[in-house]
Amino acid sequence: NAHAVRDDAGNILYYEGTAQDITKRKSAERALRESEERYRELFENSKDAFYVHDMEGIYTSVNRAAEKLSGYSREQIVGKHFSEFMTPEYARQVQRQLQKKLESAGETTYEIEMITRKGRHVPVEISSRLIYENDVPVGVQGCVRDLSEKKKAQEAARNYSRRVIEAQEAERRRISRELHDQVGQILTAVKMNLHVLQHKCTQPEILLSINDNLKVIDEAVNTSFDSLTRNPHDEVSEEMLNAALNEKLALLKEFADL
């Protein structure tokens, strides 16, 4: 900032002025430009879709990932309302999330389905926050993450779990049938032998014991392994099978002691 000092005739005598060191200001401006460039680079090259829309819900900027995810070009998205890229139900949800941000001034994360240019419904997770200027909210910045692969993995895990349960149930039924048949054959043989003894025995005390044991055998055959079949989703363990076998073996031992 300088000016010329003149004499009465208008001739320049000398110049005078002031100088100000603007090194810090220039450094700050350079740092700001570099920060903006890094932000733009991150914004453009992110694998997740990023967007900015104003408080009316009109998109003002999107990155390349948003173009790829939606199938629309940047020019086709900017200037459009967010409701044009989802069903009315999800548009109402986004509006509720915007109201929530205004009330709590925090970030919100939620899931919706967006509709691509080809009409495909894509599950996405949105994390968004308000943009402020002079402490006044002027827009929303959001990150959109495609959940398609995650949803597929979850469905595959559910299918695998269902197949495991079905395999366990089939194995449980097979073991139960085999065990039932084996013990049932033994109990039937014991019952036949008791009937023979019943016809040959004349002692009232022994006949009474035989009749009691025949009733026990009938009850055991009719309710055999009820504990194994009570819940079709229970896993058959070795301990359960051993318990069932020990119960029947104890019963057979009792008959052998007659």
Side-chain angles (χ1 to χ4, degrees):
N1 182 15
H3 66 276
V5 177
R6 301 174 184 271
D7 59 16
D8 294 339
N11 299 315
I12 297 176
L13 299 175
Y14 57 87
Y15 291 91
E16 66 177 9
T18 59
Q20 182 179 2
D21 187 354
I22 61 172
T23 304
K24 292 183 179 180
R25 191 181 75 186
K26 290 296 183 180
S27 297
E29 290 175 351
R30 184 171 61 253
L32 178 60
R33 285 195 302 272
E34 291 174 353
S35 176
E36 290 175 345
E37 289 172 2
R38 285 195 298 270
Y39 172 78
R40 281 194 295 270
E41 183 178 353
L42 290 172
F43 184 84
E44 283 300 326
N45 297 327
S46 172
K47 293 181 180 180
D48 294 325
F50 277 88
Y51 66 86
V52 175
H53 68 64
D54 62 22
M55 297 305 294
E56 300 300 322
I58 304 299
Y59 288 116
T60 57
S61 65
V62 296
N63 66 350
R64 282 192 290 265
E67 293 179 292
K68 181 179 179 181
L69 179 61
S70 67
Y72 291 97
S73 68
R74 192 169 314 204
E75 291 74 18
Q76 292 172 316
I77 299 174
V78 172
K80 300 289 182 63
H81 193 269
F82 63 73
S83 62
E84 297 186 42
F85 303 92
M86 61 194 70
T87 64
E89 176 188 356
Y90 286 119
R92 288 191 293 271
Q93 182 180 346
V94 174
Q95 191 64 47
R96 288 193 297 269
Q97 293 295 330
L98 175 57
Q99 185 62 36
K100 185 177 179 181
K101 282 189 282 286
L102 289 170
E103 293 172 355
S104 62
E107 182 176 293
T108 60
T109 300
Y110 52 96
E111 293 183 13
I112 66 167
E113 285 187 0
M114 61 171 291
I115 303 175
T116 69
R117 184 177 183 180
K118 294 182 178 180
R120 188 166 65 94
H121 289 237
V122 179
V124 295
E125 179 187 75
I126 297 179
S127 297
S128 59
R129 63 178 183 84
L130 293 173
I131 301 172
Y132 290 89
E133 287 185 7
N134 300 321
D135 296 328
V136 177
V138 294
V140 174
Q141 181 188 61
C143 171
V144 183
R145 180 162 296 175
D146 187 352
L147 297 180
S148 299
E149 294 303 319
K150 179 181 177 180
K151 295 293 185 181
K152 288 178 182 178
Q154 290 175 340
E155 182 62 23
R158 283 192 293 268
N159 290 336
Y160 175 76
S161 178
R162 183 166 55 250
R163 289 195 298 270
V164 169
I165 292 174
E166 290 172 352
Q168 289 176 341
E169 170 60 11
E171 181 67 6
R172 185 200 65 79
R173 287 196 299 266
R174 184 189 66 78
I175 295 174
S176 180
R177 283 194 300 270
E178 290 181 0
L179 196 55
H180 180 278
D181 293 343
Q182 292 173 6
V183 178
Q185 291 172 5
I186 296 173
L187 292 176
T188 300
V190 173
K191 182 177 180 180
M192 292 173 63
N193 290 334
L194 285 174
H195 277 299
V196 172
L197 290 174
Q198 186 182 42
H199 289 298
K200 291 182 178 181
C201 183
T202 58
Q203 297 182 28
E205 293 182 359
I206 295 178
L207 280 173
L208 181 60
S209 178
I210 290 173
N211 289 333
D212 289 342
N213 282 291
L214 284 171
K215 291 179 182 178
V216 172
I217 291 175
D218 287 336
E219 182 180 352
V221 171
N222 292 333
T223 61
S224 180
F225 309 114
D226 179 63
S227 61
L228 296 181
T229 58
R230 182 170 57 254
N231 188 343
H233 298 292
D234 285 343
E235 182 177 351
V236 179
S237 65
E238 183 178 354
E239 289 79 8
M240 294 172 64
L241 295 177
N242 288 336
L245 281 172
N246 290 333
E247 178 186 351
K248 304 311 175 188
L249 290 174
L251 183 60
L252 294 176
K253 185 177 183 300
E254 181 183 346
F255 295 151
D257 292 338
L258 288 175

PDB file of all heavy atoms in Angstrom, residues 52-64:
ATOM      1  N   VAL A  52     -24.352 -35.061  -1.049  1.00  0.00           N
ATOM      2  CA  VAL A  52     -24.732 -33.885  -0.277  1.00  0.00           C
ATOM      3  C   VAL A  52     -26.064 -33.402  -0.829  1.00  0.00           C
ATOM      4  O   VAL A  52     -26.230 -33.303  -2.048  1.00  0.00           O
ATOM      5  CB  VAL A  52     -23.682 -32.746  -0.381  1.00  0.00           C
ATOM      6  CG1 VAL A  52     -24.189 -31.492   0.334  1.00  0.00           C
ATOM      7  CG2 VAL A  52     -22.344 -33.195   0.200  1.00  0.00           C
ATOM      8  N   HIS A  53     -27.021 -33.166   0.065  1.00  0.00           N
ATOM      9  CA  HIS A  53     -28.268 -32.531  -0.395  1.00  0.00           C
ATOM     10  C   HIS A  53     -28.620 -31.380   0.545  1.00  0.00           C
ATOM     11  O   HIS A  53     -28.158 -31.326   1.693  1.00  0.00           O
ATOM     12  CB  HIS A  53     -29.425 -33.545  -0.521  1.00  0.00           C
ATOM     13  CG  HIS A  53     -29.926 -34.129   0.766  1.00  0.00           C
ATOM     14  ND1 HIS A  53     -30.519 -33.391   1.758  1.00  0.00           N
ATOM     15  CD2 HIS A  53     -29.939 -35.424   1.208  1.00  0.00           C
ATOM     16  CE1 HIS A  53     -30.887 -34.181   2.745  1.00  0.00           C
ATOM     17  NE2 HIS A  53     -30.532 -35.422   2.452  1.00  0.00           N
ATOM     18  N   ASP A  54     -29.399 -30.449   0.037  1.00  0.00           N
ATOM     19  CA  ASP A  54     -29.774 -29.291   0.841  1.00  0.00           C
ATOM     20  C   ASP A  54     -30.882 -29.674   1.815  1.00  0.00           C
ATOM     21  O   ASP A  54     -31.312 -30.832   1.877  1.00  0.00           O
ATOM     22  CB  ASP A  54     -30.172 -28.107  -0.048  1.00  0.00           C
ATOM     23  CG  ASP A  54     -31.391 -28.420  -0.922  1.00  0.00           C
ATOM     24  OD1 ASP A  54     -32.183 -29.332  -0.579  1.00  0.00           O
ATOM     25  OD2 ASP A  54     -31.556 -27.739  -1.957  1.00  0.00           O
ATOM     26  N   MET A  55     -31.357 -28.712   2.577  1.00  0.00           N
ATOM     27  CA  MET A  55     -32.359 -29.002   3.599  1.00  0.00           C
ATOM     28  C   MET A  55     -33.718 -29.348   3.004  1.00  0.00           C
ATOM     29  O   MET A  55     -34.608 -29.829   3.721  1.00  0.00           O
ATOM     30  CB  MET A  55     -32.492 -27.807   4.560  1.00  0.00           C
ATOM     31  CG  MET A  55     -31.211 -27.507   5.341  1.00  0.00           C
ATOM     32  SD  MET A  55     -30.601 -28.948   6.270  1.00  0.00           S
ATOM     33  CE  MET A  55     -31.900 -29.165   7.463  1.00  0.00           C
ATOM     34  N   GLU A  56     -33.883 -29.112   1.725  1.00  0.00           N
ATOM     35  CA  GLU A  56     -35.127 -29.506   1.052  1.00  0.00           C
ATOM     36  C   GLU A  56     -35.041 -30.924   0.501  1.00  0.00           C
ATOM     37  O   GLU A  56     -36.024 -31.450  -0.032  1.00  0.00           O
ATOM     38  CB  GLU A  56     -35.442 -28.525  -0.081  1.00  0.00           C
ATOM     39  CG  GLU A  56     -35.621 -27.081   0.368  1.00  0.00           C
ATOM     40  CD  GLU A  56     -36.751 -26.930   1.367  1.00  0.00           C
ATOM     41  OE1 GLU A  56     -37.784 -27.614   1.199  1.00  0.00           O
ATOM     42  OE2 GLU A  56     -36.596 -26.141   2.322  1.00  0.00           O
ATOM     43  N   GLY A  57     -33.862 -31.534   0.577  1.00  0.00           N
ATOM     44  CA  GLY A  57     -33.696 -32.893   0.081  1.00  0.00           C
ATOM     45  C   GLY A  57     -33.239 -32.972  -1.361  1.00  0.00           C
ATOM     46  O   GLY A  57     -33.279 -34.052  -1.961  1.00  0.00           O
ATOM     47  N   ILE A  58     -32.784 -31.841  -1.922  1.00  0.00           N
ATOM     48  CA  ILE A  58     -32.323 -31.801  -3.307  1.00  0.00           C
ATOM     49  C   ILE A  58     -30.816 -32.075  -3.333  1.00  0.00           C
ATOM     50  O   ILE A  58     -30.035 -31.378  -2.672  1.00  0.00           O
ATOM     51  CB  ILE A  58     -32.616 -30.444  -3.960  1.00  0.00           C
ATOM     52  CG1 ILE A  58     -34.119 -30.115  -3.868  1.00  0.00           C
ATOM     53  CG2 ILE A  58     -32.150 -30.444  -5.403  1.00  0.00           C
ATOM     54  CD1 ILE A  58     -35.019 -31.103  -4.567  1.00  0.00           C
ATOM     55  N   TYR A  59     -30.405 -33.059  -4.120  1.00  0.00           N
ATOM     56  CA  TYR A  59     -28.986 -33.394  -4.199  1.00  0.00           C
ATOM     57  C   TYR A  59     -28.214 -32.258  -4.855  1.00  0.00           C
ATOM     58  O   TYR A  59     -28.605 -31.734  -5.905  1.00  0.00           O
ATOM     59  CB  TYR A  59     -28.769 -34.672  -4.996  1.00  0.00           C
ATOM     60  CG  TYR A  59     -29.203 -35.925  -4.265  1.00  0.00           C
ATOM     61  CD1 TYR A  59     -30.246 -36.708  -4.752  1.00  0.00           C
ATOM     62  CD2 TYR A  59     -28.574 -36.331  -3.098  1.00  0.00           C
ATOM     63  CE1 TYR A  59     -30.651 -37.858  -4.095  1.00  0.00           C
ATOM     64  CE2 TYR A  59     -28.971 -37.476  -2.433  1.00  0.00           C
ATOM     65  CZ  TYR A  59     -30.011 -38.231  -2.923  1.00  0.00           C
ATOM     66  OH  TYR A  59     -30.407 -39.355  -2.259  1.00  0.00           O
ATOM     67  N   THR A  60     -27.078 -31.900  -4.232  1.00  0.00           N
ATOM     68  CA  THR A  60     -26.212 -30.858  -4.796  1.00  0.00           C
ATOM     69  C   THR A  60     -24.887 -31.427  -5.281  1.00  0.00           C
ATOM     70  O   THR A  60     -24.223 -30.796  -6.113  1.00  0.00           O
ATOM     71  CB  THR A  60     -25.938 -29.760  -3.747  1.00  0.00           C
ATOM     72  OG1 THR A  60     -25.350 -30.367  -2.572  1.00  0.00           O
ATOM     73  CG2 THR A  60     -27.232 -29.058  -3.350  1.00  0.00           C
ATOM     74  N   SER A  61     -24.483 -32.596  -4.779  1.00  0.00           N
ATOM     75  CA  SER A  61     -23.267 -33.244  -5.271  1.00  0.00           C
ATOM     76  C   SER A  61     -23.271 -34.714  -4.882  1.00  0.00           C
ATOM     77  O   SER A  61     -23.836 -35.100  -3.850  1.00  0.00           O
ATOM     78  CB  SER A  61     -22.012 -32.558  -4.711  1.00  0.00           C
ATOM     79  OG  SER A  61     -21.936 -32.722  -3.307  1.00  0.00           O
ATOM     80  N   VAL A  62     -22.650 -35.534  -5.739  1.00  0.00           N
ATOM     81  CA  VAL A  62     -22.470 -36.962  -5.475  1.00  0.00           C
ATOM     82  C   VAL A  62     -21.104 -37.358  -6.034  1.00  0.00           C
ATOM     83  O   VAL A  62     -20.538 -36.651  -6.864  1.00  0.00           O
ATOM     84  CB  VAL A  62     -23.571 -37.831  -6.128  1.00  0.00           C
ATOM     85  CG1 VAL A  62     -24.936 -37.533  -5.536  1.00  0.00           C
ATOM     86  CG2 VAL A  62     -23.585 -37.643  -7.646  1.00  0.00           C
ATOM     87  N   ASN A  63     -20.577 -38.502  -5.593  1.00  0.00           N
ATOM     88  CA  ASN A  63     -19.284 -38.954  -6.112  1.00  0.00           C
ATOM     89  C   ASN A  63     -19.463 -40.066  -7.141  1.00  0.00           C
ATOM     90  O   ASN A  63     -20.583 -40.480  -7.460  1.00  0.00           O
ATOM     91  CB  ASN A  63     -18.363 -39.405  -4.969  1.00  0.00           C
ATOM     92  CG  ASN A  63     -18.883 -40.648  -4.252  1.00  0.00           C
ATOM     93  OD1 ASN A  63     -20.013 -41.078  -4.471  1.00  0.00           O
ATOM     94  ND2 ASN A  63     -18.057 -41.225  -3.396  1.00  0.00           N
ATOM     95  N   ARG A  64     -18.345 -40.565  -7.648  1.00  0.00           N
ATOM     96  CA  ARG A  64     -18.405 -41.588  -8.698  1.00  0.00           C
ATOM     97  C   ARG A  64     -19.039 -42.873  -8.202  1.00  0.00           C
ATOM     98  O   ARG A  64     -19.739 -43.567  -8.957  1.00  0.00           O
ATOM     99  CB  ARG A  64     -16.993 -41.854  -9.229  1.00  0.00           C
ATOM    100  CG  ARG A  64     -16.488 -40.799 -10.188  1.00  0.00           C
ATOM    101  CD  ARG A  64     -15.223 -41.263 -10.902  1.00  0.00           C
ATOM    102  NE  ARG A  64     -14.083 -41.333  -9.992  1.00  0.00           N
ATOM    103  CZ  ARG A  64     -13.205 -40.357  -9.841  1.00  0.00           C
ATOM    104  NH1 ARG A  64     -13.351 -39.225 -10.505  1.00  0.00           N
ATOM    105  NH2 ARG A  64     -12.182 -40.491  -9.012  1.00  0.00           N
TER     106      ARG A  64
END
